[in-house]
Amino acid sequence: MHSAQSGMKSTDGLRVGVAGIGYWGSKHVRTMRSLDSVSQVVVIDPSEERVAKLRHSFPEVHGYPDLEAALPAIDALVVATPPTTHAPLACAAMEAGKHVLVEKPFATGVQDAHRMVGMSRERDVVLMVGHTFEYHSAVWALREMVARGELGDLYYLDTSRLNLGLYQHDVNVLFDLAPHDISILNYVLGSTPVSVECWGSRHAHRRLEDIAYLRVCYDEPHVEANVHVSWLDPCKVRRMTVVGSSKMVVFDDLEGEERIRVHNKGVSQPDESADLTMPPMSYRYGEVVAPYLVVNEPLLVEDEHFVDCVLTGMSPLTDGANGLAVVEVLEAAQLSMKERREVFLEEVRRNLQNGFDRLPGKHALVGQEAV
Ligand SMILES: NC(=O)c1ccc[n+]([C@@H]2O[C@H](COP(=O)([O-])OP(=O)(O)OC[C@H]3O[C@@H](n4cnc5c(N)ncnc54)[C@H](O)[C@@H]3O)[C@@H](O)[C@H]2O)c1
């Protein structure tokens, strides 16, 4: 049996299965194949057409229609299937002693997320979540700036992840896109939120929300973040703004060369005791700096890290607890959206302890009831 504590003993390299070879899973196949410590990649997908197409490009890759058939041929599994299948596939693989990397969203409810974390401990296997942005050099730079206090007191953070599509069929836009922003926020702030408010609505989709706005509140550091996610926007936007008392930073993932821009701008009152009804506020306009960032492919860094963790016994940067923390926020946001109120994360944890399963659609489709 493999031991996550001591690392895998295999000297022949790791045999990795990729479950789900759609848009994202096929990228995992490419990156896993490029790693020296991976001896073999196999794919698991019920779509014969997709398997045949992938094998056309990579003839040496074996295909299986389901996980059970592939288990004897793998040591580790990447789960890149639709979100509601993440927990059952991950648990079946861990039950069989396989190490697992699960795509975002880690799970579609905290109960499943807890079960996965518990099983990884019980079976002593590596469990990692594919929070790709935590392997992005721009996000590392943001975290360092915040940790060094370079921005001054943090005023607020704002994120937008918008586009026309891609509509998913088993989760709403909150569970599809917000995991990225919540994982970035948690990582950059080195913290997890205490409460969340969420407003979302359905437009082009009858059952699943296609736009959502979240207000995510952190205690330490004491700061709020606004998150806007949408499948129904004319413009593709992938932007995060961090505003502090000294500087402001914009991370625009669509900017090829200068993904991070640090604006030496700010606003202050000349005198704290001044009459606030009177001008002036004083505005500071300084230089804009685009720091050098290491050029990397976050997915490649992530997959390499997963393989290293399996082979060395190291704990992943984005481990099961990291995945669970984000799912807790998503579940709180889903409840907030339904009941139109602020939801504290404590409530989600308490509900779980009490076995109180109050959210709609947790084990089926994640969205509001159809109208
Ligand atoms: N980390 C990221 O940046 C990122 C980016 C895109 C997508 N994703 C995530 O990757 C996952 C897949 O997304 P996608 O856009 O590639 O979806 P997709 O619809 O393009 O592909 C899903 C594939 O899974 C297969 N599948 C369904 N059930 C299966 C099962 N039980 N076993 C094996 N295969 C099964 C389908 O046949 C399909 O080929 C989702 O969880 C998504 O949120 C992550």
Side-chain angles (χ1 to χ4, degrees), residues 93-104:
M94 288 189 285
E95 180 86 69
K98 313 298 175 186
H99 306 276
V100 179
L101 164 57
V102 186
E103 261 311 326
K104 65 81 196 164

Side-chain angles (χ1 to χ4, degrees), residues 10-287:
S10 169
T11 48
D12 304 329
L14 199 68
R15 299 169 307 155
V16 177
V18 177
I21 48 163
Y23 162 66
W24 198 245
S26 53
K27 293 185 192 296
H28 277 288
V29 174
R30 174 179 53 78
T31 54
M32 284 297 186
R33 278 183 77 257
S34 73
L35 298 177
D36 287 343
S37 36
V38 172
S39 58
Q40 203 183 342
V41 176
V42 306
V43 298
I44 301 135
D45 200 302
S47 163
E48 282 178 25
E49 193 189 328
R50 284 201 164 158
V51 173
K53 197 167 158 209
L54 188 122
R55 294 198 67 224
H56 189 70
S57 311
F58 308 123
E60 83 288 1
V61 169
H62 288 286
Y64 295 88
D66 58 52
L67 177 62
E68 206 183 334
L71 283 174
I74 62 172
D75 305 307
L77 179 73
V78 176
V79 179
T81 52
T84 48
T85 64
H86 288 185
L89 286 170
C91 286
M94 288 189 285
E95 180 86 69
K98 313 298 175 186
H99 306 276
V100 179
L101 164 57
V102 186
E103 261 311 326
K104 65 81 196 164
F106 184 54
T108 53
V110 286
Q111 213 165 13
D112 279 344
H114 265 285
R115 195 156 59 89
M116 290 154 76
V117 171
M119 187 164 288
S120 75
R121 292 197 182 125
E122 202 181 289
R123 306 297 297 171
D124 193 20
V125 291
V126 172
L127 175 62
M128 176 165 149
V129 59
H131 287 159
T132 320
F133 283 95
E134 295 191 42
Y135 301 91
H136 194 307
S137 57
V139 175
W140 298 338
L142 271 181
R143 180 179 159 108
E144 272 169 35
M145 275 181 242
V146 168
R148 281 200 306 265
E150 196 179 320
L151 311 181
D153 295 333
L154 284 186
Y155 284 164
Y156 74 94
L157 299 92
D158 189 276
T159 78
S160 298
R161 194 170 298 280
L162 326 173
N163 204 357
L164 195 60
L166 297 171
Y167 276 80
Q168 302 296 310
H169 61 86
D170 69 341
V171 288
N172 60 15
V173 73
L174 169 68
F175 274 75
D176 180 40
L177 296 183
H180 287 311
D181 301 292
I182 297 163
S183 84
I184 296 172
L185 289 167
N186 287 358
Y187 180 72
V188 166
L189 295 171
S191 183
T192 54
V194 284
S195 72
V196 58
E197 275 179 90
C198 178
W199 173 86
S201 55
R202 280 163 274 148
H203 300 279
H205 201 291
R206 288 186 56 233
R207 188 173 28 79
L208 298 172
E209 290 78 13
D210 39 22
I211 66 167
Y213 296 84
L214 291 84
R215 189 171 72 99
V216 189
C217 303
Y218 292 80
D219 234 5
E220 190 55 54
H222 190 66
V223 71
E224 288 180 4
N226 306 302
V227 175
H228 179 196
V229 284
S230 176
W231 289 329
L232 194 56
D233 197 281
C235 302
K236 181 167 182 174
V237 180
R238 299 281 183 262
R239 193 180 53 233
M240 173 179 244
T241 308
V242 188
V243 174
S245 54
S246 307
K247 289 181 183 171
M248 305 176 179
V249 187
V250 178
F251 163 34
D252 188 338
D253 205 21
L254 301 183
E255 282 290 340
E257 291 280 300
E258 300 180 347
R259 283 191 154 84
I260 292 259
R261 288 201 179 104
V262 185
H263 297 253
N264 191 357
K265 286 183 177 173
V267 180
S268 54
Q269 287 166 355
D271 176 358
E272 288 276 316
S273 61
D275 180 349
L276 295 182
T277 61
M278 297 290 286
M281 296 293 280
S282 103
Y283 300 96
R284 189 165 38 74
Y285 299 99
E287 75 283 2

